[in-house]
Amino acid sequence: MTQTEPTSSQQLGHTPRRQQILDIAADLFARRGFHGVSVAELGAACGISGPALYKHFPSKDAVLAEMLVSISERLLAEGSARAEASADPRSAIEALVEWHIEFALGHRALIVVQDRDWSSLPEDARERVRGLQRAYVDVWADQLKRAHHGLRTERAHAMAHAAFGLLNSTPHSALIPDGQMHDLLRRMALAALLPEADR
Amino acid sequence: MTQTEPTSSQQLGHTPRRQQILDIAADLFARRGFHGVSVAELGAACGISGPALYKHFPSKDAVLAEMLVSISERLLAEGSARAEASADPRSAIEALVEWHIEFALGHRALIVVQDRDWSSLPEDARERVRGLQRAYVDVWADQLKRAHHGLRTERAHAMAHAAFGLLNSTPHSALIPDGQMHDLLRRMALAALLPEADR
DNA sequence: GTGTCGGGTTAGCGAGCGCTAACCTACGAG
DNA sequence: CTCGTAGGTTAGCGCTCGCTAACCCGACAC
């Protein structure tokens, strides 16, 4: 229903504009905030002007919604896949950390928008994103509880949130090359998350 | 100049309103973002209505500016004081972590506003806040460099930012009592920041 | 008693916003 | 050849915003 048409040819190829808008919007929203970017500006940045956006999205809110819902889905899908594919809790946590760093380094703008402008979402999309995020946190929390015997659920959630904070700090400091940043974040996150006995 | 009058009786007592506005604004800005709160709303939340705010602040921007400048100053002042009062790098880092957690847990709203609406500041205040934040990061980075021999400056900065991300995650997860959260954050931060040999 | 002034009120301005309406083309299908 | 449609244009509506203007009133100084 939210898609235009689930025809056999998929929606690949007939919407480069749509994707371009999402990409550029992510960048602009990250820099100046959702409310700080007008549709005119966004359009201009895409080479078209103003109201032409409404040929691709029903509203400005919808751009934000699609952006945030889709990244929440990707984070959750790949995260839980990697966790399930792991042999033990320790390697599952390593895999989750690895995946989250990959994503955060590769999509800095989305990370910023996600936790800055989450509250600007229309009610239904906000609900959906919250559900997906909660599920993602649960994936982490489950593995943490298996790695630390006796860890309570709420504390595991808090640990996961803290880890996200650490890993998502990446857009705020682009001072060292991605490879080194990746390595640094992995080290710090694993030190913070794994029991001392393991490390 | 920015103060009304530096009389001998200080400015205590003749500005409960001013402080009230700052407190309530922090709360509202944290919840819905600087651009998401109108001056009318802010006034109403203070028991006065709309333009009465301009008897206390020259503009809406100025409210945000005073809020963010003052917390940046407090973070830096107390942080560098505690670091200097420490005997060795390890205990300096412990002291910094302790101070940052105290502050973050005690002023969740300010933490949120600081890194969400920083970019909405007028140019001069943004400059000032950036300077203060950089100095605060430097305090951390210096101690980290003394604790890890051979650590490069840029990497130390990245570590400090990552630690802030971890410690500032606190407003996103209020699910466990402050005491436990404090303890958890300290453990995770120190594990992430201190060399393995130390811990 | 009167004047000043801090701190409040309402009315309303100009600008910018999201969004709609109406129109214009290029183009692929029949 | 025609015509529907995808994807663009400009004009402009209605609303909200930050902020100013003009006024009001109670407390205190003298």
Side-chain angles (χ1 to χ4, degrees):
Chain A
M1 291 307 173
T2 71
Q3 313 284 23
T4 48
E5 267 191 14
T7 64
S8 60
S9 69
Q10 298 268 0
Q11 66 272 38
L12 300 175
H14 79 303
T15 38
R17 254 297 141 70
R18 220 183 137 79
Q19 193 54 47
Q20 182 203 18
I21 291 171
L22 285 169
D23 292 344
I24 293 182
D27 212 69
L28 288 179
F29 291 170
R31 253 204 286 283
R32 298 208 299 285
F34 177 71
H35 290 297
V37 177
S38 69
V39 296
E41 264 176 305
L42 177 51
C46 296
I48 62 185
S49 262
L53 288 171
Y54 292 86
K55 300 290 163 137
H56 304 277
F57 293 92
S59 70
K60 187 192 174 192
D61 286 341
V63 177
L64 182 67
E66 178 153 334
M67 194 160 76
L68 295 194
V69 167
S70 101
I71 81 168
S72 300
E73 285 172 346
R74 282 168 61 194
L75 265 179
L76 173 60
E78 181 74 12
S80 55
R82 294 206 191 184
E84 282 171 22
S86 301
D88 56 300
R90 186 188 198 281
S91 60
I93 292 174
E94 289 172 346
L96 284 171
V97 167
E98 193 64 24
W99 160 238
H100 199 100
I101 295 177
E102 274 177 38
F103 189 91
L105 284 177
H107 304 90
R108 294 173 140 91
L110 289 177
I111 292 291
V112 172
V113 176
Q114 168 131 81
D115 65 40
R116 150 122 64 56
D117 292 315
W118 164 85
S119 59
S120 299
L121 283 172
E123 185 56 26
D124 57 337
R126 184 164 60 237
E127 211 68 12
R128 176 136 177 70
V129 168
R130 188 152 58 182
L132 289 164
Q133 281 179 335
R134 199 147 38 200
Y136 185 57
V137 172
D138 279 340
V139 171
W140 282 66
D142 286 348
Q143 300 299 334
L144 287 170
K145 285 167 71 175
R146 292 174 58 203
H148 299 72
H149 93 280
L151 181 63
R152 312 266 331 276
T153 300
E154 301 80 19
R155 198 172 171 92
H157 280 192
M159 284 182 73
H161 274 123
F164 297 160
L166 191 157
L167 298 177
N168 291 348
S169 72
T170 204
H172 302 307
S173 54
L175 358 83
I176 62 179
D178 277 12
Q180 288 179 37
M181 182 65 95
H182 191 122
D183 174 70
L184 176 65
L185 291 174
R186 179 174 43 226
R187 266 196 236 276
M188 292 181 70
L190 292 179
L193 289 172
L194 291 179
E196 308 174 19
D198 263 18
R199 169 127 199 98
Chain B
M1 294 306 174
T2 71
Q3 314 284 22
T4 48
E5 268 191 13
T7 63
S8 61
S9 68
Q10 297 270 357
Q11 67 271 37
L12 300 173
H14 80 302
T15 38
R17 254 295 140 68
R18 219 182 136 79
Q19 193 55 49
Q20 183 201 19
I21 291 172
L22 285 168
D23 292 345
I24 294 183
D27 212 69
L28 289 179
F29 291 170
R31 253 205 286 282
R32 299 207 298 284
F34 177 71
H35 290 297
V37 177
S38 69
V39 295
E41 264 177 305
L42 177 52
C46 296
I48 61 184
S49 260
L53 288 171
Y54 292 85
K55 299 289 163 132
H56 305 277
F57 293 92
S59 70
K60 188 192 178 194
D61 286 341
V63 177
L64 182 67
E66 177 153 334
M67 195 160 75
L68 295 194
V69 167
S70 100
I71 80 168
S72 299
E73 286 171 345
R74 283 168 60 195
L75 266 179
L76 172 60
E78 181 73 13
S80 56
R82 293 205 191 185
E84 283 172 21
S86 301
D88 55 300
R90 186 187 197 280
S91 59
I93 292 173
E94 288 172 345
L96 285 171
V97 166
E98 193 65 23
W99 159 238
H100 199 100
I101 296 177
E102 274 177 40
F103 189 90
L105 285 177
H107 305 90
R108 295 173 141 90
L110 289 178
I111 291 293
V112 172
V113 176
Q114 167 131 81
D115 65 38
R116 149 117 73 50
D117 292 315
W118 164 86
S119 60
S120 300
L121 283 172
E123 184 57 25
D124 56 340
R126 184 163 60 238
E127 209 70 10
R128 176 136 177 69
V129 168
R130 189 153 55 183
L132 289 165
Q133 282 180 334
R134 199 148 36 201
Y136 185 56
V137 172
D138 279 340
V139 171
W140 282 66
D142 286 347
Q143 300 299 333
L144 287 170
K145 284 168 73 176
R146 291 174 58 202
H148 300 72
H149 92 279
L151 182 63
R152 313 260 339 271
T153 300
E154 302 78 20
R155 198 174 173 92
H157 279 195
M159 284 183 75
H161 274 122
F164 297 160
L166 190 158
L167 298 176
N168 292 348
S169 72
T170 203
H172 303 307
S173 54
L175 358 84
I176 62 179
D178 277 11
Q180 289 180 38
M181 182 64 96
H182 191 120
D183 174 70
L184 176 65
L185 291 175
R186 179 176 43 227
R187 266 196 238 276
M188 292 181 70
L190 292 179
L193 289 173
L194 292 179
E196 308 175 18
D198 262 18
R199 167 125 198 96

